[in-house]
Amino acid sequence: MKKRLFAILSSFMLILMSFPMTSFANGWDDPTHPGWGDGEKVKHGWIVNKINHMTLEEKIGQLFVIHMYGETPTDPNYEDTNLRMNRGAKNFEKAIEKYHIGGVIYFNWTGNIGTPIDTTQVNALSNGLQDIAMDQRMPIPLFISTDQEGGIVQRITSPGTVFPGNMALGATRSTEYATQSAAIMGEELSSLGINMNFAPVADVNVNPENPVIGVRSFSEDPDLVSDLTVAQVQAYEDQSVIPTAKHFPGHGDTNVDSHYGLPIINHDLETLHNVDLKPFQAAIDNGIDAIMTAHIVVPALDDSGLPATLSKPILQGLLREEMGFEGLIVTDSLGMSGANVVEPDRVAVEAFKAGNDILLNPPNVEVAYNAVLEAVQSGEISEDRVNKSVYRILKAKMKKGLFGDTYTDPSEIENIGTEENLAKATEIANKTITLVKNENNLLPLVDDSSLFITGPSAGDPDYLSDLLREKGYDSSDYATNTSPSSNQIAEATSRAEDADKIIVTTYTANTNNAQQRLVESLMETGKPVIVTAVRNPYDIMVFPEVDGYLATYGNRDVSIEALARVLSGEVNPEGKLPVTIPELYEFGDYLSY
């Protein structure tokens, strides 16, 4: 099949090359573009001729990257779900045939990727989808994408290699670790046939109450974010995976989640250029192929009240013209509330008119596709504008070699979760844990004191307790809800009375009143209380009197295991705060044993 497809494609390319080379715009895609050699001109001519032989429907389809439910291209178990959830077709195969889509995005909750992952199934799904795409009238390979940021947003988990997230990497200050983690994640994605990753996050997190970015950001320092972003961009590209810096023009200073509302960033132009935009400019200067937009309003850049995803001044005026970006502009998911500030059937149209090339994850595939198609047919959107985006899409696919070979050998899954990769994740995790406070040298836990470990189940107090018991500690545990009830707080406090020391695994407690009450109640026992923040590092803002405080920047097993090593003294903490904890601790603060 692989050889047959390659032969067909090669013949098709030769036929297309016989057509005269045309151009539909006198801009960066002109064959006389400065600096273009003969090779670039040949590629340009091939892409333009391919576009000239596409129907309008095929061109519109290339603009869309959608999600579908299913473990296989024709999974019968999800047909009703796909139709009920407005996927526009009963399975992947029918969606490709009907809408000529440019790509798909995998999620855990759609059944594409299991938890734990079945690597053979995902590899076969990717190959099956590409076979279908290359068997169409106009054979064009798919973008097969996912969100593999590391840390709390990681679709490929065990038995794959799970890494601490971005802010944990920021605590190490190491571009080498950023490179190594992205290289391994990129290799494992590629082994599954996934060729596009919506990462890294280039947002600069400066707001302790940020509910959607937080530890997904490397740091509050724009230079550190820039350095680690560029390192990961290059690492993904080296693995033939298209990286996507997000969320432009910067989602780091908000207390509203754009999944559920419309955030407003009130930075002035100077702050925007010196902070928010800096990592994106660094990525552009280093040749990144794709940038994802944010559903955020930035009045200093566009006073219309529209989110960046729908803003022509932000995408065309700033990103294209001022910052010089020539690659793919990708919307964040069009199903998010922050994008839906116009009529539902107009969101995809307005996003495309604003300057996006790829329309990601529309909530109703048929409605979005038909709306864009009708906007072109009516003249609201010119076909030349469509051609420009399709050109960028095909150029990116060609650059990654997808037209040459879409097949991913099943044997490549042997690269996933190797001993070497897992060891590297452990090494990095050990360097991320940050010790912020250690009154009376409570840590490391070198005596035979009994321990009581509690906190929300998201903080994994039971797993931490198990790890410490394996190391010989007398440890009991009790998990609560994310927002502990009054009864749970009372139960935890009662159990704590029998222990010598208390460890609380908090999970964004700085914005959770119930977790704050839990910690305060435990402090009233008079026992030493050590808080380990297993998501955002800002929790100590609301209970600064605790006796000990550490930050892990994530609750993945790899981070909890590193925390246990630090608590026991097997590992000396080296992580440095990548953010300021207002009025308490400065950027870069840390303690060691």
Side-chain angles (χ1 to χ4, degrees):
M1 175 66 73
K2 174 182 172 184
K3 292 180 179 178
R4 180 174 67 85
L5 286 173
F6 186 77
I8 292 171
L9 184 57
S10 298
S11 299
F12 187 68
M13 289 176 67
L14 289 172
I15 292 170
L16 285 182
M17 287 303 298
S18 67
F19 287 89
M21 186 164 60
T22 62
S23 178
F24 38 75
N26 293 318
W28 60 268
D29 56 352
D30 192 291
T32 60
H33 187 282
W36 275 15
D38 290 340
E40 286 79 7
K41 291 178 182 179
V42 168
K43 292 175 184 176
H44 168 83
W46 185 88
I47 295 172
V48 169
N49 277 308
K50 193 167 185 71
I51 292 173
N52 287 342
H53 286 78
M54 294 171 69
T55 66
L56 177 60
E57 289 78 7
E58 288 167 339
K59 294 176 186 178
I60 299 302
Q62 282 299 302
L63 308 178
F64 286 93
V65 171
I66 69 171
H67 80 262
M68 297 289 292
Y69 293 81
E71 298 178 12
T72 70
T74 58
D75 195 331
N77 298 318
Y78 289 88
E79 290 181 358
D80 290 341
T81 301
N82 279 316
L83 295 173
R84 186 176 68 254
M85 299 304 292
N86 298 314
R87 298 299 83 211
K90 65 181 182 180
N91 57 37
F92 280 108
E93 180 181 54
K94 296 303 181 183
I96 294 170
E97 293 172 350
K98 184 176 182 180
Y99 300 109
H100 324 287
I101 54 174
V104 299
I105 179 171
Y106 288 168
F107 292 106
N108 304 113
W109 47 269
T110 54
N112 314 145
I113 300 174
T115 307
I117 184 175
D118 180 341
T119 55
T120 300
Q121 171 260 316
V122 179
N123 174 278
L125 174 61
S126 298
N127 281 330
L129 294 178
Q130 295 289 20
D131 284 346
I132 293 167
M134 297 305 289
D135 198 37
Q136 301 304 300
R137 187 198 79 87
M138 182 60 66
I140 299 176
L142 297 168
F143 287 131
I144 298 182
S145 64
T146 196
D147 298 282
Q148 188 78 348
E149 300 171 10
I152 64 173
V153 179
Q154 190 158 336
R155 310 304 183 200
I156 312 301
T157 56
S158 177
T161 307
V162 178
F163 282 94
N166 285 353
M167 193 168 283
L169 289 171
T172 71
R173 303 295 197 271
S174 172
T175 55
E176 182 179 0
Y177 283 155
T179 297
Q180 291 170 343
S181 61
I184 290 172
M185 287 191 289
E187 179 186 41
E188 296 191 358
L189 289 173
S190 184
S191 298
L192 296 167
I194 298 171
N195 54 48
M196 189 175 207
N197 190 15
F198 296 129
V201 174
D203 301 315
V204 182
N205 197 86
V206 296
N207 191 330
E209 296 185 1
N210 195 323
V212 63
I213 304 302
V215 293
R216 296 169 65 193
S217 165
F218 290 111
S219 174
E220 69 176 23
D221 179 74
D223 292 319
L224 180 58
V225 175
S226 298
D227 290 344
L228 300 186
T229 295
V230 168
Q232 291 210 322
V233 165
Q234 186 60 58
Y236 285 123
E237 289 179 344
D238 289 346
Q239 296 299 323
S240 295
V241 172
I242 298 172
T244 309
K246 61 186 185 183
H247 309 80
F248 185 85
H251 208 315
D253 189 9
T254 176
N255 59 4
V256 176
D257 187 339
S258 52
H259 290 85
Y260 310 109
L262 182 59
I264 299 176
I265 307 294
N266 286 311
H267 288 184
D268 58 27
L269 287 174
E270 182 179 4
T271 302
L272 286 165
H273 282 280
N274 291 336
V275 178
D276 305 83
L277 297 174
K278 200 168 189 178
F280 293 99
Q281 188 66 67
I284 292 168
D285 293 344
N286 282 271
I288 192 167
D289 290 321
I291 289 178
M292 178 181 285
T293 67
H295 305 324
I296 57 173
V297 174
V298 189
L301 299 174
D302 181 355
D303 60 6
S304 69
L306 290 172
T309 299
L310 306 183
S311 169
K312 191 170 184 178
I314 293 176
L315 301 187
Q316 295 280 18
L318 176 62
L319 183 54
R320 288 280 188 224
E321 297 171 14
E322 185 176 343
M323 299 178 71
F325 180 57
E326 296 182 350
L328 295 169
I329 303 179
V330 185
T331 72
D332 203 344
S333 174
L334 292 179
M336 294 165 60
S337 291
N340 285 269
V341 297
V342 296
E343 291 299 315
D345 63 342
R346 294 291 301 173
V347 175
V349 172
E350 296 301 327
F352 188 71
K353 288 170 63 177
N356 291 282
D357 300 300
I358 292 179
L359 305 171
L360 177 64
N361 215 17
N364 188 312
V365 175
E366 184 173 19
V367 167
Y369 175 87
N370 286 335
V372 176
L373 178 61
E374 290 166 9
V376 179
Q377 291 171 333
S378 70
E380 180 183 359
I381 296 172
S382 72
E383 191 164 356
D384 182 67
R385 166 70 183 88
V386 175
N387 288 342
K388 288 179 181 178
S389 285
V390 175
Y391 183 100
R392 294 188 187 100
I393 290 166
L394 299 188
K395 182 181 179 183
K397 291 179 177 181
M398 176 179 279
K399 181 179 177 181
K400 291 304 172 188
L402 298 181
F403 282 101
D405 188 5
T406 62
Y407 180 76
T408 303
D409 195 312
S411 66
E412 291 188 25
I413 63 176
E414 296 176 1
N415 299 324
I416 297 173
T418 65
E419 288 186 14
E420 182 180 2
N421 290 353
L422 296 174
K424 179 55 65 176
T426 296
E427 176 190 336
I428 293 173
N430 286 341
K431 302 290 186 180
T432 66
I433 308 300
T434 306
L435 178 62
V436 177
K437 188 176 183 181
N438 190 18
E439 292 293 311
N440 301 316
N441 293 318
L442 273 172
L443 300 173
L445 301 169
V446 294
D447 56 23
D448 58 358
S449 299
S450 60
L451 306 173
F452 174 63
I453 304 178
T454 189
S457 56
D460 285 330
D462 48 353
Y463 186 46
L464 178 61
S465 185
D466 289 344
L467 292 168
L468 291 175
R469 277 196 296 270
E470 289 174 4
K471 298 178 187 300
Y473 292 93
D474 176 10
S475 178
S476 61
D477 55 86
Y478 175 68
T480 72
N481 297 334
T482 301
S483 294
S485 67
S486 297
N487 288 340
Q488 288 176 330
I489 292 173
E491 179 68 18
T493 304
S494 174
R495 295 191 186 197
E497 294 289 353
D498 296 327
D500 297 316
K501 296 176 182 176
I502 303 167
I503 298 175
V504 192
T505 59
T506 58
Y507 193 83
T508 318
N510 66 305
T511 59
N512 187 298
N513 291 331
Q515 285 187 47
Q516 294 168 27
R517 290 194 297 272
L518 171 65
V519 174
E520 290 164 359
S521 180
L522 293 168
M523 290 173 63
E524 289 173 1
T525 64
K527 307 292 179 68
V529 174
I530 301 162
V531 170
T532 61
V534 298
R535 186 161 174 174
N536 294 341
Y538 304 104
D539 291 0
I540 196 172
M541 292 170 60
V542 290
F543 31 69
E545 302 87 0
V546 295
D547 301 285
Y549 186 75
L550 305 96
T552 69
Y553 313 100
N555 65 342
R556 294 290 187 183
D557 286 356
V558 68
S559 294
I560 302 300
E561 290 158 6
L563 172 63
R565 296 185 200 100
V566 168
L567 290 171
S568 67
E570 293 176 32
V571 168
N572 197 355
E574 297 182 38
K576 300 177 181 179
L577 281 175
V579 294
T580 299
I581 300 178
E583 300 181 9
L584 290 173
Y585 300 97
E586 298 296 324
F587 172 88
D589 281 354
Y590 76 107
L591 298 173
S592 289
Y593 300 145

